[in-house]
Amino acid sequence: MAEIIQKDGTWVFDGDSLRLTPGRDKSVALLRRELGELLVPLSALAGISFEQGRKSGRLRLRLRDGADPLLHATGGRLTEPHDPYQLLVESDRYGVAEYFVDEVRNALLLDQVPSGPVDAYLLPGPAVPLSVSAGDGIASFDGERVRLEWKWQAEDAKSAGGPRTLPLGDILSVEWQPEVGMENGHLRFTVRGAPSKVPPKYDPNAVELWGFKKDPLMALVAAAVQARLPHPAAPAAPEKTLPPGDAPAPAPAAEDDHDALLRRLRELGELHRSGVLTEEEFNLAKQAVLRRF
């Protein structure tokens, strides 16, 4: 096992997965604190690096394309303070950081983990329910539907229609865009049957963001929704020919399966911490659950 403990956070590698825990220091970004601890399976990694600086260095994880719904929903637009896959390392821990990198790289080589894209999410995304207030609205998600409520600053084009409820089945895609320069950011949902996109300021399916402290938290809503949408690279299911008179069986609710697996991971963690499960039993059970995501 390899471990590095810093004010910015703690990273632990047990050979099968990395546990990333944000630090409690006030310098740690709000999004990382709200996202909490992440369990990253080795199979989701494309690589790891360590960059030394004069006063501090930085550990960086590179995930395989399509492995994490948070990275997919934000499109690589999370800046350094908010990126959960970076860790600030103090200069007196450079040796520990280099050892950590070597351990992870050796495991990637031994397990022959490919670095290419995946066609299914290997991380579960943020837990639900969750609710974030930022910009001109409040976005809430309970795993089945998104609710958008408007603040007094919202344009009449939005507020006149009242709160919006978007069933997950009607959402085709979700996008989080931070404020850049003079251009405001947004959290936008593309909804089946909705008209062509209008500016987020007037779009009833979008929350406009103005570059304030809580704006990055809207990325958590985007990631939670994205985790429950079909993976963009997933192969299309072959069409089945049914005998005459047979009705198609109802499709399983993917979001229900996802939440059940997430709850199972939490239960296993509690059993391990309480001593009910040994380290070996916990790792075997955890890997079995992760393979089903």
Side-chain angles (χ1 to χ4, degrees):
M1 187 177 78
E3 180 180 58
I4 181 166
I5 303 174
Q6 295 288 278
K7 290 190 296 184
D8 194 40
T10 299
W11 286 13
V12 179
F13 176 56
D14 63 6
D16 294 318
S17 59
L18 291 97
R19 187 178 300 276
L20 315 181
T21 306
R24 297 182 178 180
D25 192 78
K26 62 181 181 180
S27 63
V28 178
L30 182 60
L31 183 144
R32 289 178 57 204
R33 296 201 303 268
E34 291 293 324
L35 184 59
E37 187 175 86
L38 289 176
L39 188 66
V40 183
L42 186 66
S43 58
L45 283 186
I48 183 173
S49 63
F50 176 57
E51 303 163 3
Q52 292 189 16
R54 182 173 299 177
K55 295 183 178 180
S56 63
R58 194 174 295 274
L59 273 170
R60 298 178 188 267
L61 292 182
R62 183 166 60 88
L63 270 63
R64 298 171 66 185
D65 288 344
D68 181 22
L70 174 63
L71 295 183
H72 182 84
T74 56
R77 292 181 288 268
L78 283 176
T79 54
E80 285 189 3
H82 310 293
D83 188 344
Y85 303 114
Q86 298 188 31
L87 181 71
L88 197 64
V89 179
E90 297 168 7
S91 58
D92 62 347
R93 290 293 181 270
Y94 281 2
V96 178
E98 290 170 347
Y99 171 76
F100 192 93
V101 168
D102 287 343
E103 288 293 292
V104 175
R105 285 178 175 170
N106 288 339
L108 288 171
L109 288 173
L110 288 173
D111 286 15
Q112 298 184 337
V113 177
S115 60
V118 296
D119 58 7
Y121 294 121
L122 303 180
L123 280 86
V128 295
L130 59 86
S131 181
V132 176
S133 174
D136 66 354
I138 301 171
S140 305
F141 181 53
D142 63 4
E144 297 180 356
R145 59 188 62 81
V146 172
R147 181 176 173 84
L148 302 177
E149 302 173 71
W150 310 115
K151 300 181 181 179
W152 66 267
Q153 300 99 325
E155 293 290 325
D156 289 344
K158 292 181 176 181
S159 59
R164 297 273 293 169
T165 298
L166 309 177
L168 187 64
D170 290 346
I171 298 174
L172 300 177
S173 64
V174 57
E175 175 191 62
W176 174 82
Q177 170 74 53
E179 177 254 5
V180 179
M182 299 298 292
E183 184 177 349
N184 291 336
H186 62 261
L187 170 70
R188 189 199 297 271
F189 299 94
T190 301
V191 180
R192 184 178 285 104
S196 58
K197 290 182 178 178
V198 297
K201 185 176 183 178
Y202 306 105
D203 188 349
N205 296 319
V207 176
E208 187 180 35
L209 304 174
W210 301 317
F212 295 146
K213 181 179 179 180
K214 291 188 176 181
D215 283 9
L217 296 184
M218 283 293 184
L220 300 181
V221 179
V225 174
Q226 185 67 59
R228 291 160 177 81
L229 294 178
H231 194 283
E239 293 185 3
K240 295 181 179 180
T241 303
L242 297 173
D246 283 5
E255 63 273 14
D256 292 342
D257 293 343
H258 177 281
D259 289 339
L261 293 173
L262 191 57
R263 286 194 298 272
R264 182 57 179 157
L265 278 178
R266 293 198 189 98
E267 291 169 358
L268 289 173
E270 292 172 0
L271 291 173
H272 180 234
R273 284 191 291 272
S274 63
V276 175
L277 292 178
T278 65
E279 185 75 22
E280 182 179 0
E281 290 170 337
F282 169 67
N283 287 330
L284 288 173
K286 177 185 67 179
Q287 291 304 312
V289 174
L290 289 174
R291 281 193 294 271
R292 293 181 59 193
F293 271 115

